[in-house]
Amino acid sequence: MIKIIDMPRCMGKTILAIEALDNNENAIMLVPTLMFRSSFYPKEIRSRIFSMEQFMRYGRIDGMRFDTVILYEGLSYSKSQSAKLYYALGRAGYKVEIYATDDSY
């Protein structure tokens, strides 16, 4: 299942994504780069935040059990990156929540 939360810029996506991760102990978050992790997220949840590249390179996060993947800015990836990522997540049976702004229209 994919749940998309499409909000305009500066409308609280980051806060909602933090709350979603904080409220679900069985979730991890993927961000475009690790710079996001140290800049925007509280220290308490940083251990469950990974870059999309980390996840795609290894296909899993060693030693962690999770059933939900939260994608921050999940609509900003290239079409080929998105296709590979969504295929890998669906194949593994993860629930996916996407917090993003769709600038395509």
Side-chain angles (χ1 to χ4, degrees):
M1 174 186 87
I2 296 178
K3 176 181 174 183
I4 299 174
I5 295 87
D6 179 11
M7 298 174 67
R9 300 220 179 274
C10 301
M11 295 301 291
K13 285 186 310 291
T14 305
I15 292 169
L16 289 177
I18 290 169
E19 287 175 355
L21 186 62
D22 200 29
N23 291 335
N24 185 350
E25 292 293 322
N26 295 319
I28 64 166
M29 182 181 291
L30 301 180
V31 294
T33 67
L34 289 181
M35 179 189 73
F36 281 80
R37 180 174 67 182
S38 58
S39 300
F40 302 121
Y41 296 98
K43 290 179 183 175
E44 302 81 43
I45 62 173
R46 287 183 189 167
S47 64
R48 296 190 292 141
I49 299 174
F50 305 92
S51 73
M52 202 241 336
E53 181 182 339
Q54 284 177 307
F55 185 80
M56 290 304 293
R57 179 174 295 158
Y58 304 112
R60 66 189 189 295
I61 305 298
D62 288 334
M64 294 193 75
R65 292 185 180 261
F66 55 93
D67 61 14
T68 304
V69 177
I70 298 169
L71 297 175
Y72 183 74
E73 292 299 342
L75 300 176
S76 65
Y77 305 126
S78 73
K79 290 178 184 178
S80 71
Q81 284 178 318
S82 295
K84 289 176 187 175
L85 178 62
Y86 297 146
Y87 177 79
L89 294 174
R91 184 172 170 226
Y94 297 124
K95 297 177 212 161
V96 179
E97 295 181 18
I98 301 170
Y99 291 83
T101 299
D102 183 7
D103 288 331
S104 66
Y105 49 90

